[in-house]
Amino acid sequence: MRPADAPPPVLGARGLVSRRGGPRGLAPVDFELHAGQLLHVRGANGSGKTSLLRMLAGLLRPLAGSVLWHGGDVRRAPSAYFASMAFLAHGNGLCGELSAAENLRYALHVAGTPQPEPRIAETLRDWRLDGCAGLPALRLSQGQSRRLALAAIVLGGKALWLLDEPDAGLDAASLEQLRAALDAHLAAGGAAVVASHREPGTAAAHTQTLDMDDYADAGYAVAVGVT
Ligand SMILES: Nc1ncnc2c1ncn2[C@@H]1O[C@H](COP(=O)(O)OP(=O)(O)OP(=O)(O)O)[C@@H](O)[C@H]1O
């Protein structure tokens, strides 16, 4: 049980039910995520991982339940929540005609987190995109596009990352870059929800697991891991 003076979780789901359900129907999801923690959402294709992330991102209205941000229902103070959150969907949200560097600047501007040019150049280097910074995004490979979208999330510096299969299409070096970015984000007090068929590779002490298959079998959600 949490001590009375402990801060509430940064993110929580209480009885959250997707109107899409999974293969076994509708079951409520509950979890609590504190600063410095990552929730790994795993499960079979169609088990509801994307639907859960879309509900957390405010893009899919739940059938029941609520999303809590610092203990308060996000519907009561949506601006504070959306200003603190970055969502990476299956698509990368790139503009094909703009160059990789222009896409990065544009994404940061739209997120309200513009960054100085040296930091943009440094991040492009970190993600091994400096060689294609001037290329139109439509010429980027699948993995390069994913890396660019991830670079925007990292550089944006939001407190909460919601990442739907961020590792899709990434090579070994980029997977390592993603793991390091997640570690740094958690170490800085950030939180993340990551849907993936792979283990995120973050320290066990900072990682919870929500298995959508278990919850589909049992009829309710289970979150295990750190307390
Ligand atoms: N746009 C939609 N309209 C209606 N049902 C949908 C829609 N998108 C997904 N579903 C259904 O919702 C359920 C959960 O799908 P979801 O995409 O959340 O699963 P997932 O666990 O992310 O799968 P995957 O691992 O294949 O990405 C599935 O039964 C799917 O058919």
Side-chain angles (χ1 to χ4, degrees):
M1 203 161 138
R2 192 174 352 123
D5 58 351
V10 287
L11 182 70
R14 191 181 292 155
L16 203 57
V17 178
S18 165
R19 57 183 61 245
R20 290 182 185 163
R24 309 262 178 147
L26 305 166
V29 170
D30 290 277
F31 68 80
E32 291 188 344
L33 195 64
H34 289 265
Q37 293 185 345
L38 178 147
L39 180 69
H40 174 208
V41 183
R42 67 181 181 201
N45 291 142
S47 59
K49 302 180 297 298
T50 291
S51 303
L52 174 60
L53 262 78
R54 288 178 61 80
M55 289 191 293
L56 296 176
L59 296 170
L60 180 64
R61 189 190 298 271
L63 202 58
S66 44
V67 177
L68 306 176
W69 178 243
H70 291 280
D73 191 319
V74 299
R75 284 171 293 203
R76 294 212 192 95
S79 320
Y81 177 60
F82 292 120
S84 305
M85 182 262 281
F87 177 51
L88 178 70
H90 282 182
N92 295 310
L94 303 176
C95 176
E97 288 76 27
L98 297 182
S99 73
E102 287 167 342
N103 265 286
L104 192 47
R105 280 186 212 107
Y106 179 68
L108 290 165
H109 181 74
V110 168
T113 54
Q115 297 288 334
E117 282 305 310
R119 283 217 66 206
I120 290 179
E122 183 192 349
T123 304
L124 286 166
R125 271 196 307 280
D126 287 347
W127 289 88
R128 292 175 299 120
L129 291 163
D130 42 327
C132 51
L135 271 188
L138 52 80
R139 299 254 180 88
L140 298 179
S141 73
Q142 188 187 339
Q144 287 168 338
S145 300
R146 201 63 173 162
R147 274 149 50 192
L148 185 57
L150 283 165
I153 300 259
V154 172
L155 206 44
K158 303 281 186 179
L160 173 64
W161 295 355
L162 304 174
L163 309 179
D164 195 357
E165 302 201 34
D167 46 13
L170 294 191
D171 59 22
S174 306
L175 287 173
E176 181 50 31
Q177 182 73 31
L178 172 60
R179 192 198 56 72
L182 284 169
D183 273 343
H185 177 61
L186 301 182
V193 180
V194 178
S196 176
H197 297 286
R198 282 192 186 89
E199 295 299 319
T202 44
H206 302 290
T207 308
Q208 295 189 53
T209 303
L210 179 64
D211 194 322
M212 301 300 278
D213 294 334
D214 283 355
Y215 117 67
D217 286 342
Y220 56 86
V222 282
V224 293
V226 292
T227 52

